[in-house]
Amino acid sequence: MFYRESGQLKSSYIADQAMFPIAQDRWFVIGVLAVAFLVAPFFINEYWANAILLPFLVYALAALGLNILTGYCGQVSLGTGAFMAVGAYASFKLVGFFPELNFLIVLALSGVVTAAVGMIFGLPSLRIKGFYLAVATLAAQFFLVWMFNKVGWFYDYNLTGMITVRPIDFFGIRITGPEATPAAKYLFTLTVVAVLALSAKNIVRGRIGREWMAIRDMDIAAELIGIRPLQAKLSAFAVSSFYVGVAGALYFAVYLGSVEPVEAFDINQSFYVLFIIIIGGLGSVLGAFLGAAFIVLVPILLKNIMVGGMGFDSGMAGHVEILLMGLLIIFFLIVEPHGLARLWQIAKEKLRLWPFPH
Amino acid sequence: MAFDIFLLEVIISGLMTGVMYALVALGFVLIFKASGIFNFAQGVMALFAALALYDFLAEDGWFFAVFGFTLPVWLAIPATGLIMVVLAWVIERTVLRFMVKQNEIILFMATIGLAFVLEGLGDILFGSDVKPLDIGIPQGASDWLLDNFNLYIEQLEIFAAGTAAVLVVVLAIFFQRTRIGRALRAVADDHQAALSVGVSLDKIWVIVWSVSGIVALVAGIMWGSKSGVQFSLSLIALKALPVLILGGFTSVPGAIVGGLIIGVGEKLAEVYIGPMVGGAIENWFAYMLALAFLLFRPQGLFGERIIERV
Amino acid sequence: MTDEQTNETLLEVDAISLSFGGVHALVDVSFDIRKGEVRSIIGPNGAGKSSMLNVINGFYHPQEGTITYQGQARKQMRPHDAAAGGIARTFQNIALFKGMSTLDNIMTGRNTHMSKSLFWQALRIGPAQREEIENREFVEHVIDFLEIQSIRKTPVGRLPYGLQKRVELGRALAAEPTLLLLDEPMAGMNLEEKEDMSRFILETNDEFGTTIALIEHDMGVVMDISDRVVVLDYGRKIAEGTPEEVRANQDVIDAYLGVSHD
Amino acid sequence: MGNSLELQGDTFPQLLLQRLKHDAERPAMREKAYGIWQTWTLGELCEESFALAAGLADLGFARNDTLVIIGDNRPRLYGSMIAAQALGGVPVPAYQDSVAEEIQYVVDHAEARFIIAENQEQVDKALEIKEQCPRVAFVIYCDPKGLRKYDPQVVMDIQTVMARGRELLKADPDKVNAEIQKGKSSDTSIILYTSGTTGRPKGVVLSHENLLVTARNTNAFDGITAEEEVLAYLPMAWVGDNVFSFAMGFVAGFCVNCPESTNTVAQDLREIGPTFYFAPPRVFESVLTSVMIRMKDAGRLKRSLFDHFMKVAKKTGVALMDGQSVPAWDRFHYWLGELLVYGPLKNTLGLSRVRVAYTAGEAIGPEIFEFYRSLGINLKQLYGQTEATVFITMQPDGVVRSESVGTPPPGVEVRIEENGEVVYRSPGVFKEYFKNPEATAETKTSDNWVHTGDAGYFDDEGHLRIIDRAKDVGKLNDSSMFAPKFLENKLKFFPEIKEVVTFGDQRDFVTAFINIDLDAVGNWAERNNVAYASYQELAAHPEVYALVQGCIEQVNQSLAQDSHLSSSQIRRFLILHKELDPDDGELTRTRKVRRRIINERYGDLIEALFDGRTNCFVSTEVMFEDGRQGQIEADLEIRDAAVSQEPSRAAA
């Protein structure tokens, strides 16, 4: 209905292959980014940043990473939590070694470290597939978290076993720790997430993205037309882990400030991110954001209704929340297993054809 | 000589634990074989069963609150079994039948959702505090073994291993000898074939989930007796996963042998490697073991080599 | 047959034997494929035809024999080397990437011609953008050649069977193959679709000088479009020659034509 | 051009040379190919055309040579027209779906030595006729697919010819320009072969002046500017395409877009979103049908939304379109409809940007016409023919009717002859029929008046109405016009009526034979509990008579609105006892009434219609489906139908 596409002709391949070929989509995305960058920072407060926007952005980024691996390349991973931990600890150690290093570079290096670790744990994917691989990634989950918990070097032999972020300035603006303003934390995270999301969109539309999807859809055929499974799968593990690692670093350094590995990066964290991409939609960049919004907002909503509205004690509310999340996940999988992104896709198709039904 | 005794103790203890792993893995294999579903909720089912059983036995449970008395153990166990059957039926009615045509990853995800539901439900109904479960299994080391062979082995472990072994045998007989068992095996190969045997698919699913529910109950009893009924009980599912990759998702003997290997390997590592690296390696060692194994034999212990075709 | 056809050998299969755990799929099979010809491999079901193609492009590794491709002798091919060396193929059971559009499927065929790094692709400017557009242009010519413009952006899963087969051919052609292996390109097609497919195969051979090796069940089609035919039965070569020669061969008649297979 | 600069130039190539000075970078043509709209700027188009001209000249193409062009709408084919004109030659486009035989006639008659063919399909046709047309020396193709093995001495790639041309132009840059400068406005611009209903096609010769003046006038009439987008999808051999796409395009400077193929036109239309659009009535009709069919599958909410707002459109849309004043509430209601239904609907159809749309060629159903206008699409009718360079009458904005075809635009004079035939004189009047002076003399008078062969009249508003072919029109005894086909078509708009034969030539009044439609009337009978056993019984049923009488009286009422037609009201009718049947010789195979046979067979019935009898016995020989001959007998009732009086409005 709102799609008025008549007259949007493409006279070059660049225009035809643009990220958002339909003008209305383009304007919508630009509008959202404009609001996110130019309007939201003026209204943000501690609660919005810590309860909603920062977790939303960080989980969206982690989900984006997992979606690259699972949604685009078809390799199920249950080790996301551990890879986030790698990113977190990498950034912690890097800041420790090079306190003057620009935090963007720290983030990038944390991502690279995580990518390397991801590739190592991705190696079995060449021999094993499906659930076997999923279970194998649990090895990474348990081993890495154990390692961060046991090996003192990682947490600087701190007695609590926790890591706490140092105050970091980014071009003179404090972005970590309690002194950083919510707006600064938010804007920094938003910038990183936006740039990485657009890059992901580019990657999945290009040669490498097609290789991943080919492997996902039919690995034997992909191999026989000249795609190297080794390269494709490992690149998916690497890129995916890079994103997850950066997300982990942001999770630790900007969002939480200090973490304890067993709690912050346990297997539930892996499931959490997996839920995001299932509910958001496998194989969709948009899906990572929709899923993250859903997963972050619904519990808040539930808690507000139950504790605020119905007067549950918070322990009971926690139990009910777990129950309801489970039900929601099952409901979603039954009704639309391809997630919110697919729902949006369908709605969009309908709007483009409106008033026609097909 | 003392060293050898110690080693033997470790191995036997490993075998005992292995049998318990095998028991949980068996629950997975049953469902996977018959429905292609990798049931992540298996562990939570064990927790749920243990919680229900506790409720029948304890005086701070719902059952006592409603009826004013508790059930004896011999009645509480079948009652819990009944609850697991009802649960299986509810799961089939509300979840599985709507997902027949979905791909396996989606089904897998659904069982994670199911695990959340059961966990939430268990917490709401029975509370999240640790509950001791005592159904009269003897505690402490076996004096007889200690006296005659100088072996220190928990009686509970012996009892658990024995029960598990019995259950495995019963299941094997169920699968090999009964009509429904044969139908279940048929369904693993071909849904159509199963239908032609005259058993409807939803019925098969209810049966298979009931059976794995009862397996979960047994596992719940054993682990619950050992360390109390609490949330961490559901994590035994995670213990069983390496067993599965080792033994193969569809192989009953694989689950048993795999369970034993993992049990022994883990105990050995815990005793001999653990102290060197700071302990608590049982969380991941089994996985690493299975993974290393897989790299050399991707199809698992009992899986057949797949010839890929195009 | 193209004008460029010479007697130069493009690929030679020499004494290939292949077995799976005691089952002999191919036994001592030898033949050659000349540059620019349309070479058919025929035989009853289970004769080992698909196995032969799988050996040629490196998916199966024969226990015995050598494959000489473009003058290079190998004990066995690796799929990627085969693809990089200009061997492309289609599959008996359509093996398209179901989640992708027609255009993206065919673009995957350009894979071996693309090399720009992840970094440039993430930015999608400069070299990666140029590379993408150059290859898109090539793919558009393939789309035009196969007359599938109207389904360019349709997810392949939604296409009817005949068109899926055509898209698969497109994916193979996009690789600019020297040798094109077609595994039953016309299986399950109606008459009109078969005619279209024959036309595309011949035009490919004609316009681009692509050497074609194909497996086909439809004897009429094979006889019409092949330059030379090799006949397999129970994994062994039983005859070889021009369509006329093969048609007249008594062994072939016994093994294949005379016996009613599917 | 986009500015007020008055363009000079007597021929199209001269015009283009002028325009190149300002507009070289403007997109002139686009073609959907290889997935995107490949664009030719005016500079590129001219460069290619002039290179082609030089190449053609090298092959021996000389002044007054003809260049036959066969293919779908393609920028290069339009370019080849420019190339031919640049050299003083004449492009002769042929219908691309013609069979070889038809092409052969054109090629032979036009004495063409050069053929430009779009692709292998057309090249094959050209080669097929080459034996019969020995003059043909070269066949030049645009799309090389499948043509590699053809004889390169005869069949050549347009790129090769252009490359040769470019070489020659490098040596002598003025080669083509010099030829262009020699052009005069009276030179032949194009020869268009019209497929006459009878006899061989005639080659209509149009001069540059015809086309240039007509294009300028029309652009001014509808305010066509360089900003238009136009989709060129109708055959290049049709005068309309040459005027709308080629002449008006180059004069106004707008961009002309060629669709990818005939089966992607709908999609391409949507992508382009033309602002100036022409389509024959059947296209509008089939689009409307598909809209209705697609809406049938819509959910209930959407359906009722659609139905509701279509009603609103019907009530308000046309009035808004015609600039009448509409109450504010209705205006808002329509605006809401535009937001929710019309806007998106027009957009999906690709018609949302249409500023001016025309239809012509045959009568368009009033409901269809109103449908588009009520959506806010400025659809208008025009009346024209090849010989007039299209335009004879056009509907100006704001006075648009479905039943008439408008007034003569500036520069055109129209007159009605004694026998009702429409004749006209205009700057677009063709030079001659190529090599056919007799036909030219028959059609065109010495002072340039052209006979259209159509009968019509100017209605009370002063708008031309076309009613029939002139030769079919008769006269009633009161000397008023009797147009049988017009009346019959009006009646046939009712679904219950399948065939009609009207009588009135040399009579006092008009009468009619009616054939009911068995499906429609049978349905009606079922719903109204009318029992019947046979067609004959149903046809004779008094209630069916009443039904048909109702239809006739409705038509009479509408005829009474128009002073020219009010005496053509049908006074008496009967319903035939059998269906008129091609097997019995009563209809042609294309279901046209054979009046002579009807007059012979049913003479008595016709007399009965006029002599006042109330019934009449008839016995007819029929051929049954199994081939047996038989007799059908019946006593048919003859009824009077009420005649309406002229309304007072018409008297004013």
Side-chain angles (χ1 to χ4, degrees), chain A:
Chain A
M1 183 167 18
F2 307 108
Y3 283 97
R4 305 283 170 93
E5 285 170 68
S6 192
Q8 296 184 20
L9 56 91
K10 311 282 180 230
S11 55
S12 69
Y13 289 122
I14 293 186
D16 190 59
Q17 298 177 341
M19 193 181 291
F20 302 105
I22 301 171
Q24 282 82 0
D25 282 347
R26 206 156 49 235
W27 287 115
F28 180 73
V29 171
I30 290 172
V32 167
L33 285 179
V35 170
F37 274 103
L38 303 176
V39 182
F42 293 102
F43 296 96
I44 198 166
N45 58 25
E46 202 66 49
Y47 176 78
W48 271 86
N50 287 334
I52 298 172
L53 290 170
L54 286 177
F56 162 71
L57 289 169
V58 168
Y59 279 115
L61 187 61
L64 197 53
L66 182 60
N67 220 345
I68 284 172
L69 185 64
T70 303
Y72 284 96
C73 197
Q75 313 295 307
V76 184
S77 165
L78 298 174
T80 317
F83 292 128
M84 284 177 78
V86 174
Y89 279 85
S91 68
F92 175 72
K93 293 305 284 187
L94 282 165
V95 172
F97 290 141
F98 315 101
E100 297 307 313
L101 199 58
N102 185 305
F103 194 59
L104 271 188
I105 298 172
V106 171
L107 278 185
L109 289 176
S110 307
V112 170
V113 169
T114 318
V117 176
M119 280 167 80
I120 293 169
F121 282 95
L123 280 170
S125 69
L126 303 173
R127 298 293 304 265
I128 56 180
K129 294 172 183 173
F131 292 131
Y132 289 92
L133 179 66
V135 174
T137 57
L138 278 176
Q141 173 67 46
F142 293 123
F143 174 74
L144 290 170
V145 170
W146 171 84
M147 185 176 77
F148 292 128
N149 200 28
K150 286 287 172 206
V151 181
W153 181 80
F154 287 108
Y155 51 89
D156 287 357
Y157 305 100
N158 181 327
L159 284 179
T160 58
M162 292 175 71
I163 52 171
T164 303
V165 71
R166 279 156 233 241
I168 298 167
D169 288 350
F170 182 68
F171 292 113
I173 298 163
R174 181 62 50 89
I175 52 167
T176 61
E179 294 121 79
T181 65
K185 287 180 175 182
Y186 163 75
L187 269 179
F188 180 80
T189 311
L190 178 67
T191 309
V192 172
V193 171
V195 168
L196 285 180
L198 294 178
S199 305
K201 191 100 182 138
N202 278 337
I203 293 171
V204 298
R205 293 185 301 135
R207 169 181 65 91
I208 293 176
R210 285 190 297 269
E211 285 184 5
W212 292 341
M213 289 187 275
I215 291 282
R216 170 195 71 189
D217 287 348
M218 193 161 277
D219 53 352
I220 296 173
E223 187 178 353
L224 292 186
I225 65 167
I227 293 169
R228 292 173 192 257
L230 176 78
Q231 278 185 1
K233 287 180 184 173
L234 285 190
S235 66
F237 267 99
V239 176
S240 162
S241 305
F242 179 89
Y243 275 74
V244 173
V246 172
L250 288 171
Y251 181 75
F252 152 69
V254 180
Y255 171 40
L256 291 180
S258 72
V259 293
E260 192 275 322
V262 175
E263 217 161 82
F265 302 112
D266 73 349
I267 187 166
N268 281 323
Q269 191 79 318
S270 300
F271 287 144
Y272 202 66
V273 179
L274 192 59
F275 286 154
I276 290 176
I277 65 168
I278 294 283
I279 287 176
L282 288 171
S284 159
V285 171
L286 174 69
F289 285 89
L290 294 179
F294 188 92
I295 286 270
V296 168
L297 289 179
V298 167
I300 292 176
L301 206 68
L302 289 177
K303 193 164 274 169
N304 280 341
I305 291 171
M306 288 185 299
V307 179
M310 296 157 70
F312 283 24
D313 75 74
S314 65
M316 185 50 120
H319 301 327
V320 177
E321 185 191 314
I322 291 175
L323 173 78
L324 288 178
M325 283 309 281
L327 286 177
L328 270 174
I329 286 155
I330 294 173
F331 174 79
F332 253 95
L333 290 171
I334 289 173
V335 176
E336 184 45 87
H338 301 284
L340 292 167
R342 174 66 65 90
L343 285 179
W344 165 241
Q345 196 65 34
I346 292 170
K348 180 171 156 178
E349 286 294 305
K350 291 221 176 266
L351 287 177
R352 289 179 71 182
L353 283 171
W354 183 278
F356 296 122
H358 52 73

Side-chain angles (χ1 to χ4, degrees), chain D residues 572-586:
Chain D
R572 285 165 64 74
F573 73 97
L574 60 78
I575 300 177
L576 282 175
H577 56 298
K578 70 173 278 281
E579 284 187 275
L580 295 177
D581 194 337
D583 285 342
D584 297 331
E586 293 155 338

Side-chain angles (χ1 to χ4, degrees), chain C residues 39-203:
Chain C
R39 180 71 134 140
S40 290
I41 304 171
I42 63 170
N45 268 350
K49 293 166 297 177
S50 287
S51 297
M52 194 63 240
L53 285 199
N54 284 338
V55 166
I56 291 177
N57 81 334
F59 187 55
Y60 287 167
H61 302 303
Q63 282 81 11
E64 304 284 332
T66 52
I67 301 164
T68 311
Y69 176 66
Q70 288 185 322
Q72 242 191 312
R74 286 200 183 85
K75 184 94 178 66
Q76 46 184 235
M77 282 269 192
R78 292 224 325 273
H80 180 265
D81 292 334
I87 301 179
R89 71 171 290 179
T90 66
F91 302 88
Q92 185 178 349
N93 303 313
I94 296 170
L96 287 172
F97 307 124
K98 292 274 184 292
M100 297 158 76
S101 68
T102 298
L103 181 65
D104 280 344
N105 264 281
I106 301 179
M107 282 295 277
T108 58
R110 292 300 292 168
N111 204 65
T112 46
H113 297 259
M114 298 173 81
S115 60
K116 294 297 172 281
S117 70
L118 182 72
F119 175 74
W120 288 114
Q121 290 196 36
L123 298 176
R124 208 182 170 94
I125 49 169
Q129 178 82 283
R130 269 200 301 283
E131 183 184 65
E132 187 80 9
I133 283 168
E134 280 161 16
N135 285 287
R136 168 81 191 269
E137 270 170 23
F138 186 91
V139 164
E140 285 292 344
H141 281 83
V142 172
I143 289 175
D144 186 67
F145 177 79
L146 294 173
E147 297 159 19
I148 45 178
Q149 296 94 332
S150 57
I151 56 165
R152 185 184 284 114
K153 298 204 171 157
T154 315
V156 288
R158 285 193 213 159
L159 297 176
Y161 181 79
L163 279 179
Q164 291 199 9
K165 280 261 178 195
R166 219 188 272 186
V167 175
E168 211 189 16
L169 177 62
R171 186 178 65 189
L173 288 180
E176 293 178 80
T178 313
L179 174 62
L180 177 60
L181 309 176
L182 303 174
D183 196 345
E184 303 208 15
M186 284 160 238
M189 287 188 163
N190 64 32
L191 193 64
E192 196 187 334
E193 290 170 331
K194 276 185 187 171
E195 275 172 7
D196 278 343
M197 189 52 88
S198 305
R199 181 162 58 86
F200 291 129
I201 293 170
L202 286 177
E203 275 177 11

Side-chain angles (χ1 to χ4, degrees), chain B residues 261-272:
Chain B
I261 292 177
I262 294 284
V264 172
E266 193 181 276
K267 270 275 155 23
L268 287 175
E270 206 180 308
V271 172
Y272 294 107

